[in-house]
Amino acid sequence: MRRQQGMQLDERYIPYLQMARLYHLARLNDRWFRLDEPFVSVFVERWRLETHTFHMPFGECTITLQDVVYQLGLPVDGHYETFGECPEEADEETVRRFARAYIMMLLGTQLFADKSGNRIHIRWLPFVARLEEMSGYSWGSAALAWLYRCMCRLANRHVVKLAGPLQLLRSWIFWRFPRFRPAGYDAFSWPLASRWSGYNLNVSENGPQFIWMPYSTPDVLQVVHPEVLEPRHTMLWRCVTSLIYFAVVEWHQVDRVLPQFGGVQARPQPALNIDFLMSKDGRGGDR
């Protein structure tokens, strides 16, 4: 994934990033990531629009709110000028403005990127204007809704480029499918997606092997931020609920992937018909 020119993480932004609960995401942005588009496309071919799951030989699996928390360190609960390097002699108000711009860049490129690759939607301006309130939003559920929608769009044969939080998708694949992991990336820290910084696109070809619960091992629990394991957060990971990102409304159908939470998978209910919601994208009269 392309580095953002001239917008490096300045330590003076950190208090504001922590205020917005986006500091862990900012740490990911300070690392180098490459996306193997053909590799990701193979997984998208297994994506089913009506269930939001990957259909594999061993059953269904998907990216859930739990994965968003562990991989990106984002909160999943809550209510609904030109910038480069910040000057060394900048006063507090100037640092605050640059921190807002940095957060805009994170939202527009790391979480909610579209296919333009170089634009950030103006819809984020009211959010960064109220910086003290940003921590109250469920950034994780919005990012997952956008990833679901982007993969559903790519399943259309007329769409050829994938957008969305692709660090999450790529890291989810490597954590869940160990035979696809690149060699030499055994050390990791928080958030877990940081494990693959510097990835060089060399992928094993030993075939699929899926780990249903990769986050339950002691070495992972040692680096997890303790706040994400509080019951008020973890209960949301298992909820069958809507994921909302402005006009994008997608469904979190974890009842189809219960083994990812240590459960036994019964025969799933028929898929929800969300064709009406899938047709809405915030353009024209849908605003």
Side-chain angles (χ1 to χ4, degrees):
M1 299 183 69
R2 188 174 55 191
R3 274 196 187 279
Q4 302 310 308
Q5 297 89 346
M7 279 298 288
Q8 299 300 315
L9 176 59
D10 191 307
E11 63 180 12
R12 291 171 291 178
Y13 306 159
I14 292 178
Y16 300 105
L17 292 165
Q18 291 173 329
M19 181 190 302
R21 297 174 74 185
L22 294 172
Y23 175 56
H24 299 304
L25 181 68
R27 291 181 62 238
L28 282 179
N29 186 66
D30 208 38
R31 300 167 183 260
W32 179 256
F33 289 89
R34 293 183 177 91
L35 180 69
D36 187 344
E37 294 190 7
F39 176 62
V40 169
S41 297
V42 169
F43 274 81
V44 175
E45 289 181 4
R46 291 276 185 171
W47 181 255
R48 299 301 305 171
L49 286 71
E50 67 274 17
T51 60
H52 290 154
T53 56
F54 297 101
H55 280 222
M56 297 294 181
F58 51 80
E60 294 179 75
C61 58
T62 196
I63 306 168
T64 69
L65 290 174
Q66 180 192 47
D67 297 299
V68 176
V69 171
Y70 276 100
Q71 299 295 343
L72 302 183
L74 289 173
V76 295
D77 62 329
H79 54 271
Y80 284 99
E81 162 181 9
T82 300
F83 292 88
E85 293 186 12
C86 187
E88 290 292 336
E89 68 282 1
D91 58 21
E92 190 60 30
E93 183 56 34
T94 301
V95 172
R96 188 180 179 92
R97 290 203 340 264
F98 272 78
R100 284 193 174 110
Y102 190 88
I103 290 173
M104 284 278 287
M105 180 273 295
L106 287 178
L107 297 178
T109 62
Q110 298 295 89
L111 293 187
F112 307 111
D114 57 24
K115 293 189 293 184
S116 72
N118 61 358
R119 298 187 181 95
I120 299 174
H121 202 288
I122 197 173
R123 62 162 61 107
W124 298 116
L125 285 175
F127 291 88
V128 297
R130 301 188 299 270
L131 201 57
E132 291 78 6
E133 300 177 14
M134 290 191 73
S135 64
Y137 294 100
S138 177
W139 298 110
S141 64
L144 186 58
W146 183 232
L147 179 60
Y148 281 176
R149 176 60 60 88
C150 289
M151 289 194 293
C152 288
R153 285 177 175 173
L154 195 64
N156 185 323
R157 63 186 178 90
H158 299 294
V159 178
V160 297
K161 189 173 179 60
L162 181 61
L166 302 183
Q167 287 187 32
L168 170 62
L169 174 58
R170 194 273 306 274
S171 190
W172 179 86
I173 294 172
F174 287 164
W175 273 92
R176 298 277 182 174
F177 292 83
R179 290 185 177 177
F180 289 140
R181 293 175 186 169
Y185 292 84
D186 298 327
F188 55 86
S189 58
W190 181 258
L192 299 185
S194 64
R195 180 176 184 174
W196 318 110
S197 61
Y199 167 55
N200 60 6
L201 308 186
N202 293 325
V203 179
S204 169
E205 297 181 357
N206 292 325
Q209 173 191 333
F210 190 74
I211 299 178
W212 288 105
M213 299 179 65
Y215 312 132
S216 60
T217 60
D219 53 349
V220 171
L221 294 176
Q222 286 178 358
V223 302
V224 171
H225 196 286
E227 182 184 0
V228 307
L229 299 178
E230 295 179 6
R232 63 192 178 96
H233 300 309
T234 59
M235 64 177 292
L236 296 176
W237 304 347
R238 299 170 173 82
C239 289
V240 178
T241 184
S242 57
L243 304 170
I244 302 174
Y245 167 58
F246 293 98
V248 173
V249 182
E250 300 289 340
W251 214 255
H252 191 238
Q253 301 193 63
V254 293
D255 56 325
R256 308 183 72 90
V257 293
L258 293 179
Q260 291 184 207
F261 299 93
V264 177
Q265 184 65 56
R267 183 176 180 179
Q269 297 294 319
L272 297 171
N273 185 343
I274 57 172
D275 290 348
F276 174 77
L277 296 176
M278 293 284 286
S279 67
K280 305 298 179 183
D281 60 5
R283 301 175 182 176
D286 290 343
R287 295 178 183 176

